């Protein structure tokens, strides 16, 4: 009889918190990771990620009862003294904490209930990994660096907002932290609300807006947030409410998008003028406020990076936490920092905590060696050719008259590149769903970056986003230096670099008004099909760059073929490339008029 060596299965779960997710690590290697929102179709979904857990178990070929360790990125006992002192001042906070503790205490029972099994059948050992430790682990332990400085910064987690460490092989040594109420994430979210964007995750909008303003209010913002020593920053608390009224960052119902309470104070309005109400016009003052808040954040972060480099004597840095999504700050500070290499995991925010908690157990609890690098983001569900055929059949049976062709890879690439070069908007659905919020060539909507009008066309026909938000480019890794002033890889769209001045008119659609672009460098090794498409487009046009935006329309990024087909049908996308199938719509009157318009403009 052959005895199969038993596997070590670790399940990481980010539950009862926005961006709930699951990840599974088997014998030290990540097999799968996915956000619950991709599966239950609720943006930023909180609650227990039962679908994501099931998917991860399926990928490992395991049942929940066979999992050895379950890691949850929250430790109610962390910083207990600080929590208790705050709770004594604010009974509402104490109640809220008690509710959170009850929820986490009940995670085993919730799992048993969700998976319809007796609770005693879950034999896994449970681990509570402190929030920022999980953030730090989520980036360092999957980074390509043997040793590195590691930095986590977010809104709040386990009563801290920032933590830094030194990573050495399979160990991470914590070096310091910043506790509630001082928080760069809260700062950014509060000011995002002040500028009139209240939805969870709206911070990106303000980052895009910042490029349209001047930092006119920087002096005031240096009172709102400031570095006050090496590895230390403070908020001007009079500008905020979270320290006096609690950070009401919750969701009203389980499995629903989180809702945020107001975080800025009347004093902020007294100093900067009345807050912009949602829907009111955006004025230059708002743009200048956005520019000022971004500039102040960059000052604090730059000082932090410098001090961390000095303290750790490292040339590599790993970033995590929601603040690590500030690609503008990452790109700018990187240029001026002592670090030579920076790694940001694609799910740098709280979704990434499931990966972090699992790897924290793998290395810090079990003492296992490091043997995994996350060098691509394709960790979610994929669909077979029969799945795609079935979805297309159903779609066609519903009376859609798009033409459908089934082609080999060479024809697929050449035809798709030709459609793109001809100005068509192409849905690109290939392989496993991306991990993290960025579409990176698995579930993307692609377009020609050479056309200045493409941004408006995409917004009008599909994305319906604010006009000040930039679109991002994907570029062949080898061509990065030809188009950008910096060549350090950015495989997960977490850095904005300056586009070379002479190339800004070559790729105007994804070049932001400040001359930067949030690029994705695409490697032949880790993303071969998408790399080949970029090369095919480059062969036809001389520009190995594509505009790449997420495959969705005000919904979570599509996951299943049916969702891609639905988005294709609902929007004015021209072509859908799914597996080896190319679906092409008959040109609409609107798109014909648009092309005629553009031809006329170009002729002038
Ligand atoms: Fe966090």
């Amino acid at each position: 009889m052959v005895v199969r060596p038993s596997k070590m299965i670790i399940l990481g779960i980010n539950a009862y918190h926005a961006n709930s997710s699951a990840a599974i690590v088997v014998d030290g290697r990540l097999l799968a990771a996915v956000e619950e929102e991709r599966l239950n179709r609720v943006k930023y979904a909180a609650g227990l990620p039962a679908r994501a857990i099931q998917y991860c178990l399926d990928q490992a070929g395991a049942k929940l009862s066979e999992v050895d360790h379950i890691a949850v990125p929250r430790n109610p006992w962390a910083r207990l003294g600080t929590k208790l002192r705050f709770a004594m001042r604010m009974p509402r906070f104490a109640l809220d904490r008690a509710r959170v503790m009850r929820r986490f205490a009940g995670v085993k029972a919730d799992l048993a209930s969700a998976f319809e099994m007796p609770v005693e059948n879950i034999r896994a050992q449970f681990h509570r990994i402190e929030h920022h430790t999980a953030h730090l682990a989520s980036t360092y332990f999957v980074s390509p660096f043997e040793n590195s400085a590691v930095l986590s910064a977010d809104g709040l987690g386990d009563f801290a907002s920032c933590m830094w460490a030194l990573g050495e092989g399979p160990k991470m040594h914590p070096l310091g932290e910043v506790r509630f109420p001082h928080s760069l994430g809260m700062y950014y979210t509060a000011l995002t609300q002040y500028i009139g964007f209240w939805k969870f995750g709206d911070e990106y909008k303000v980052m895009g807006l910042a490029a349209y303003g001047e930092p006119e209010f920087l002096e005031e913002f240096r009172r709102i947030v400031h570095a006050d020593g090496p590895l230390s920053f403070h908020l001007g608390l009079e500008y905020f409410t979270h320290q006096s009224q609690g950070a009401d960052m919750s969701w009203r119902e389980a499995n629903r998008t989180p809702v945020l309470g107001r975080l800025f104070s009347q004093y902020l309005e007294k100093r900067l003028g009345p807050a912009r109400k949602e829907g009111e016009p955006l004025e230059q003052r708002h743009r200048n406020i956005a520019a000022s808040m971004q500039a102040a954040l960059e000052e604090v972060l730059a000082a932090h990076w410098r001090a961390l480099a000095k303290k750790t004597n490292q040339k590599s840095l790993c970033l995590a936490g929601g603040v690590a999504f500030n690609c503008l700050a990452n790109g700018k500070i990187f240029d001026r920092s002592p670090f030579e290499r920076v790694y940001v995991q694609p799910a740098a925010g709280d979704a990434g905590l499931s990966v972090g908690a699992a790897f924290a157990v793998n290395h810090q609890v079990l003492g296992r060696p490091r043997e995994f690098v996350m060098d691509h983001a394709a960790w979610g569900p994929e669909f077979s050719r029969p799945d795609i055929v079935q979805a297309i059949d159903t779609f066609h049976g519903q009376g859609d008259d798009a033409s459908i062709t089934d082609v080999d890879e060479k024809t697929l690439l050449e035809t798709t590149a030709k459609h793109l070069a001809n100005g068509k908007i192409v849905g690109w659905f290939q392989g496993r769903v991306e991990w993290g919020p960025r579409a990176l060539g698995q579930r993307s909507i692609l377009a020609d970056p050479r056309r200045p009008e493409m941004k408006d066309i995409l917004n009008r026909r599909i994305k319906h986003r604010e006009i000040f938000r930039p679109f991002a480019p994907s570029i062949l890794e080898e061509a990065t230096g030809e188009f950008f002033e910096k060549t350090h890889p950015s495989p997960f769209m977490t850095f904005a670099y300056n586009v070379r001045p002479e190339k800004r008119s070559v790729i105007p659609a994804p070049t932001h008004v400040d001359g930067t672009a949030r690029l994705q460098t695409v490697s032949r090794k880790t993303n071969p099909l998408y790399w080949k498409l970029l090369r095919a487009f480059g062969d036809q046009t001389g520009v190995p760059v594509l505009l790449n935006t997420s495959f969705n329309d005000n919904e979570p990024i599509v996951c299943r073929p049916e969702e891609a087909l639905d988005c294709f049908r609902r929007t004015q996308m021209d072509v859908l490339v799914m597996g080896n199938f190319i679906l092409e719509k008959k040109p609409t009157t609107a798109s014909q008029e648009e092309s005629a318009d553009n031809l006329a403009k170009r002729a002038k």
Side-chain angles (χ1 to χ4, degrees):
M1 188 177 75
V2 179
V3 178
R4 195 171 61 119
S6 66
K7 294 177 186 170
M8 172 65 70
I9 304 178
I10 308 171
L11 179 67
I13 304 172
N14 181 38
Y16 316 122
H17 193 63
N19 294 309
S20 65
S21 68
I24 199 151
V25 173
V26 178
D27 289 342
R29 305 186 71 80
L30 184 73
L31 288 192
V34 67
E35 290 102 322
E36 185 74 356
E37 66 155 38
R38 304 293 158 88
L39 306 176
N40 74 359
R41 313 304 298 155
V42 176
K43 193 112 175 126
Y44 308 118
L48 184 77
R51 291 176 177 87
I53 294 168
Q54 184 62 62
Y55 165 71
C56 288
L57 292 170
D58 291 346
Q59 288 305 109
K63 297 187 187 118
L64 186 58
S65 57
E66 295 168 326
V67 172
D68 301 290
H69 299 271
I70 295 179
V72 182
R74 179 69 79 104
N75 182 358
W77 306 108
R79 306 176 190 90
L80 191 59
T82 316
K83 285 175 184 167
L84 286 173
R85 277 194 296 282
F86 192 74
M88 281 163 71
R89 273 204 292 124
M90 193 179 298
R92 192 167 71 83
F93 172 82
L95 287 173
D96 188 49
R97 290 299 95 181
R99 183 176 54 81
V100 171
M101 282 178 87
R102 262 201 314 277
R103 267 202 160 144
F104 277 89
V107 63
K108 190 170 180 179
D110 283 358
L111 278 169
S113 161
F115 286 81
E116 297 175 350
M117 63 196 290
V119 75
E120 58 274 16
N121 283 14
I122 301 177
R123 61 174 186 86
Q125 190 180 341
F126 277 73
H127 303 266
R128 299 184 186 289
I129 307 295
E130 186 275 328
H131 187 94
H132 284 274
T133 304
H135 269 314
L136 296 170
S138 79
T139 183
Y140 172 62
F141 286 133
V142 303
S143 77
F145 310 139
E146 211 169 298
N147 303 308
S148 173
V150 199
L151 175 63
S152 162
D154 67 2
L156 178 68
D158 277 331
F159 235 62
S161 71
C162 185
M163 190 189 261
W164 49 98
L166 172 64
E168 285 185 312
K171 291 191 165 38
M172 236 178 14
H173 312 286
L175 297 174
E177 63 184 34
V178 172
R179 291 187 180 191
F180 180 87
H182 303 284
S183 160
L184 296 178
M186 290 276 186
Y187 157 76
Y188 216 86
T189 304
L191 270 296
T192 298
Q193 292 179 343
Y194 171 84
I195 299 174
F197 299 103
W198 285 81
K199 288 200 190 103
F200 191 87
D202 270 356
E203 290 82 355
Y204 286 114
K205 296 182 182 175
V206 178
M207 189 171 63
L209 187 65
Y212 289 86
E214 293 297 325
E216 180 193 344
F217 304 99
L218 185 55
E219 276 313 311
E220 185 72 26
F221 271 81
R222 284 177 178 145
R223 287 189 279 276
I224 300 175
V225 63
H226 58 279
D228 53 359
L231 294 165
S232 173
F233 59 81
H234 274 79
L235 296 183
L237 293 176
E238 64 276 25
Y239 294 89
F240 300 91
T241 59
H242 61 280
Q243 80 291 351
S244 55
Q245 293 167 32
D248 184 16
M249 300 179 84
S250 59
W251 50 94
R252 296 205 172 115
E253 292 169 61
N255 281 325
R256 290 288 154 219
T257 299
V259 178
L260 304 184
R262 172 174 157 148
L263 295 173
F264 62 90
S265 71
Q266 284 182 347
Y267 182 71
L268 183 79
E269 292 192 277
K270 198 172 149 194
R271 297 293 301 172
L272 289 178
R276 175 179 166 265
K277 294 197 173 61
E278 235 173 330
E280 280 182 358
L282 268 170
E283 296 164 2
Q284 193 53 41
R285 183 174 74 89
H286 302 121
R287 297 184 187 99
N288 291 352
I289 288 170
S292 307
M293 72 181 269
Q294 177 70 23
L297 175 83
E298 287 167 11
E299 283 187 355
V300 173
L301 279 175
H304 214 87
W305 283 36
R306 275 196 304 274
L308 188 57
K310 199 168 168 196
K311 188 168 181 73
T312 59
N313 201 25
Q314 293 294 309
K315 293 290 179 200
S316 301
L317 172 67
C318 297
L319 295 175
V323 177
F325 279 135
N326 197 308
C327 55
L328 206 53
N330 294 349
K332 270 194 206 165
I333 299 168
F334 192 0
D335 258 351
R336 306 189 296 251
S337 88
F339 291 110
E340 292 169 4
R341 298 166 293 271
V342 181
Y343 177 83
V344 191
Q345 198 243 114
D350 282 351
L353 291 167
S354 55
V355 162
F359 276 100
V361 169
N362 190 53
H363 299 299
Q364 294 187 295
V365 177
L366 303 175
R368 294 171 62 95
R370 289 175 67 192
E371 49 195 331
F372 172 78
V373 173
M374 191 187 286
D375 55 8
H376 64 79
W379 299 104
E382 72 179 325
F383 297 87
S384 65
R385 182 180 165 89
D387 291 334
I388 291 173
V389 168
Q390 194 180 10
I392 291 175
D393 276 353
T394 309
F395 172 77
H396 215 48
Q398 288 165 349
D400 201 279
D401 60 355
S403 70
I404 301 170
T405 48
D406 180 8
V407 296
D408 61 20
E409 185 182 287
K410 186 167 178 287
T411 313
L412 186 93
L413 295 166
E414 281 172 6
T415 310
T416 307
K418 195 167 143 209
H419 280 312
L420 287 162
N422 287 336
K424 298 277 173 72
I425 297 176
V426 175
W428 178 253
F429 182 107
Q430 302 290 348
R432 295 181 75 173
V433 164
E434 295 92 342
W435 170 236
R438 303 272 82 93
L440 298 167
Q442 277 79 32
R443 301 289 185 276
S444 291
I445 293 174
L446 305 174
D448 186 347
R450 301 169 303 158
R451 297 167 184 261
E453 69 277 11
M454 192 47 85
K455 188 177 157 186
D456 292 339
I457 292 176
L458 264 172
N459 264 330
R460 193 164 58 244
R461 287 172 48 182
I462 298 175
K463 301 294 285 191
H464 311 116
R465 305 193 324 190
E466 294 80 2
I467 50 163
F468 56 82
R469 289 174 66 190
F471 286 104
S474 300
I475 182 165
L476 277 189
E477 190 177 54
E478 300 82 342
T480 312
E482 193 190 322
F483 284 82
F484 290 89
E485 290 179 353
K486 200 169 177 67
T487 56
H488 184 278
S490 172
F492 307 133
M493 280 189 184
T494 43
F495 299 93
Y497 295 161
N498 286 326
V499 179
R500 288 191 175 281
E502 70 277 17
K503 294 292 186 186
R504 290 175 191 174
S505 60
V506 179
I507 50 167
T511 300
H512 202 24
V513 66
D514 59 357
T516 65
R518 173 168 51 84
L519 76 167
Q520 176 198 8
T521 54
V522 179
S523 146
R524 181 177 205 166
K525 184 169 153 254
T526 57
N527 207 343
L529 189 67
Y530 192 39
W531 184 92
K532 286 183 207 167
L533 178 65
L534 281 158
R535 190 179 60 173
F537 185 77
D539 287 346
Q540 290 186 23
T541 64
V543 178
V545 181
L546 287 170
L547 186 157
N548 173 10
T549 185
S550 51
F551 197 148
N552 60 349
D553 172 24
N554 286 313
E555 61 189 320
I557 296 177
V558 301
C559 175
R560 304 175 56 76
E562 292 81 358
E563 289 146 13
L565 286 159
D566 186 47
C567 188
F568 177 57
R569 187 203 313 263
R570 240 182 18 241
T571 64
Q572 293 181 54
M573 200 183 298
D574 300 302
V575 177
L576 170 59
V577 182
M578 188 152 58
N580 280 75
F581 294 93
I582 301 176
L583 285 78
E584 191 181 352
K585 276 182 194 159
K586 290 193 177 131
T588 61
T589 316
S591 65
Q592 279 169 336
E593 279 169 6
E594 219 160 52
S595 317
D597 244 26
N598 293 331
L599 277 176
K601 272 185 208 153
R602 276 162 186 256
K604 277 179 192 167

